[in-house]
Amino acid sequence: MLSHKKKSHTPRVLHVQQLEKRELFAADSGLWGALPGGTGESLPGLYSSTPSSKVPAPFWRKTDGVPSAAPAWYQNIGPVTREVFYDPSLTPAQNGAALKGLLTTLPAGSRVVIHAGTYSVDSYFVITAQGTASQPVVIEGAPGEKVSITRKDSLQNVINVDNSQYLLIRNLDVYGGDTGLKLQTASNFMLYDSKIHHGMGVGVAANSKNTSQLYFVDNEISYTGGHGEGFYLGSNDGVFKTNNSHVVGNYLHHLASDTAAQGDGIEIKDGSYANVVKYNFVDGTKYPGITVYRTGRGVADRNVIEENVVINSIDAGIQVTADAVVRNNLVIGKSTAFVSKPFTTNPVNLVVSNNTFLGGATTIKLTNWLTTDLAFANNAIHSPTGQFYSSSRTGQAVATGNINVSNLATSFTNLKLDGTGLNARPITGSVVIGRASSNYLPSGDLNGDTRITEMDTGAVDFAGDSTTVTGTLSTKSTVRNATPAPTLESKSTSSKENSTGAIQGSPLLRSSSPGASLAAQRFSVAAMVKAPNPKLIQSSQTTTSSSLSNDRSALQHERLLDQVVSELQSFA
């Protein structure tokens, strides 16, 4: 029979990494880690790792061994309380039945480590876990081992979670069944570093009960069926809502490959609010890669969609109705990159800023953008056919700082419409440099770098805080291969925003700044950098001075950098 045993252990303290003068607790890589500790204070909300790559690819913002983001209670993972070993003398179904019996009810502080094997379930499988913030429950595959949980038919979901809180599931391979993972009554739940694939329905669903504080981090979801959403959060009719949850760092691909499927990548339904969709890489959807409807609430509860990459979407790359901030995304649609249109309400309370949008036909479609709380700003837009916009009834919405890019090769390092090149950093002389409106400019960019050149349109800054400048800033007199994007029917500035995208006088949104901690309850502005890296400053100045000292535009650029450095140092 399947065996399990309690494990004695020697306490071990986790390694601690420094991040923005706060302590980031690294993930426990062993089976017998003690209660994570350290000398610093506990982190509120979420903490984030620093990006490992400057060119987007699946998991490009992930650091090995550390979640891209995690709730504060993640640091309180306790020691292993039970190990489960696969019994080769039993069938997969018998091993699955035994595992199901062990995981049905788990008290606070339980940590179950499952060893390699294929555990097949053939009846309703529900996990109930009553963890606490100080004693979360953990179910995990053993490090370095493939632990598969599967169901051979679509009569039920593979895994259900109900009446659970403070539960972490990680390092599992889930496939088959209807929905891969179905959350019902749940809060403070985290799915991390797992794979869900080849199901006959949705990948992850939280649509039949109200849910909150969900964390889906660094997972891979693929080959769904039926409606085929990767993440389906909130119910279709808006009765059940998901709030204050985070979809961060996931890789979604080949969704809804069935010809009758819909296959949104990440779908947040009507009424769900205060959710963050960040660092995700979505490749190949039939419906939009990211779909968000209204929240029906105020500025503080807007959904935030930032620093994602969406490519190869047959439908729109991103579709948003209302009550959201969409910024610093790279979106490439086979036809359309971004759509905003009515769904139970007209678009309202929506800011779309500093994205790089590429579409095979009409890149941007806006409908019923009527009010001054709508802003489309600082976006770089490419269409090979010249069909940059299709807009109707745009009323008093704000349009500023947008640039239509005719030639990708003379504007970006390596950006291609077919998704084979995803380096959206502007090159010297790019049409997007220095063209943005400061009223809507985030402090960071797609790669998590501080915007040093500050006024660049699109998702990636020309220089960034970790890139040595080797070229010169373009000025309006030297701009080529671009035309200013047309304004909407009425251009109002009565609802100006600050650099974080928050309407003045309203609660501020969390800024898109490098390494900024995600807020669990509400979004807050990240602190301005007070101590610029002297080595970086010296490197940038030296490189610019030595290589381009005789170039008038280079001197202009150097003076601009000096001014920025001076301003940063004034905050030290």
Side-chain angles (χ1 to χ4, degrees), residues 277-288:
V277 180
K278 188 178 179 77
Y279 302 165
N280 300 286
F281 192 101
V282 184
D283 182 0
T285 59
K286 186 174 182 180
Y287 276 28

Side-chain angles (χ1 to χ4, degrees), residues 180-216:
L181 172 65
K182 177 67 175 286
L183 300 177
Q184 299 184 53
T185 301
S187 64
N188 286 287
F189 169 86
M190 182 175 181
L191 177 71
Y192 167 52
D193 198 25
S194 295
K195 293 183 179 181
I196 297 178
H197 58 100
H198 291 94
M200 287 161 267
V202 176
V204 175
N207 59 354
S208 59
K209 298 287 180 67
N210 288 325
T211 54
S212 64
Q213 302 291 341
L214 308 179
Y215 306 88
F216 304 108

Side-chain angles (χ1 to χ4, degrees), residues 326-503:
V326 183
R327 63 188 171 203
N328 283 337
N329 301 284
L330 171 59
V331 185
I332 305 176
K334 289 183 177 296
S335 178
T336 301
F338 181 80
V339 170
S340 181
K341 62 183 180 180
F343 180 87
T344 70
T345 183
N346 280 329
V348 293
N349 189 24
L350 177 60
V351 175
V352 182
S353 66
N354 280 91
N355 302 281
T356 298
F357 290 131
L358 280 63
T362 303
T363 304
I364 305 297
K365 295 182 179 180
L366 306 176
T367 303
N368 285 13
W369 271 47
L370 303 174
T371 56
T372 57
D373 61 353
L374 297 164
F376 192 83
N378 302 343
N379 300 290
I381 304 155
H382 172 73
S383 169
T385 62
Q387 296 173 285
F388 299 99
Y389 290 91
S390 172
S391 59
S392 61
R393 301 191 65 212
T394 47
Q396 299 183 59
V398 178
T400 183
N402 302 295
I403 295 296
N404 296 338
V405 179
S406 299
N407 191 327
L408 294 176
T410 58
S411 298
F412 302 104
T413 301
N414 182 23
L415 187 58
K416 297 181 179 179
L417 188 59
D418 62 3
T420 59
L422 295 176
N423 192 336
R425 188 177 298 281
I427 60 177
T428 301
S430 173
V431 296
V432 304
I433 296 174
R435 305 296 298 279
S437 166
S438 61
N439 290 336
Y440 296 90
L441 195 71
S443 59
D445 70 2
L446 171 68
N447 293 322
D449 291 336
T450 301
R451 289 180 177 269
I452 284 184
T453 44
E454 295 186 338
M455 298 299 293
D456 300 340
T457 290
V460 182
D461 186 62
F462 171 53
D465 62 358
S466 62
T467 302
T468 300
V469 179
T470 57
T472 61
L473 284 176
S474 172
T475 63
K476 290 184 179 180
S477 62
T478 60
V479 169
R480 62 181 184 278
N481 295 320
T483 56
T487 59
L488 301 182
E489 292 175 6
S490 175
K491 180 178 178 181
S492 169
T493 57
S494 60
S495 297
K496 285 187 178 181
E497 301 211 350
N498 61 22
S499 62
T500 67
I503 296 179

Side-chain angles (χ1 to χ4, degrees), residues 55-58 60-61 250-252 266 278-283 289-290 306-312 317-318 328-332 419 422 446-447:
V55 179
W60 91 104
R61 296 297 298 267
N250 302 283
Y251 175 34
L252 299 93
I266 301 165
K278 188 178 179 77
Y279 302 165
N280 300 286
F281 192 101
V282 184
D283 182 0
I290 299 173
E306 66 176 353
E307 297 172 46
N308 301 282
V309 175
V310 181
I311 63 175
N312 295 321
I318 294 178
N328 283 337
N329 301 284
L330 171 59
V331 185
I332 305 176
L422 295 176
L446 171 68
N447 293 322

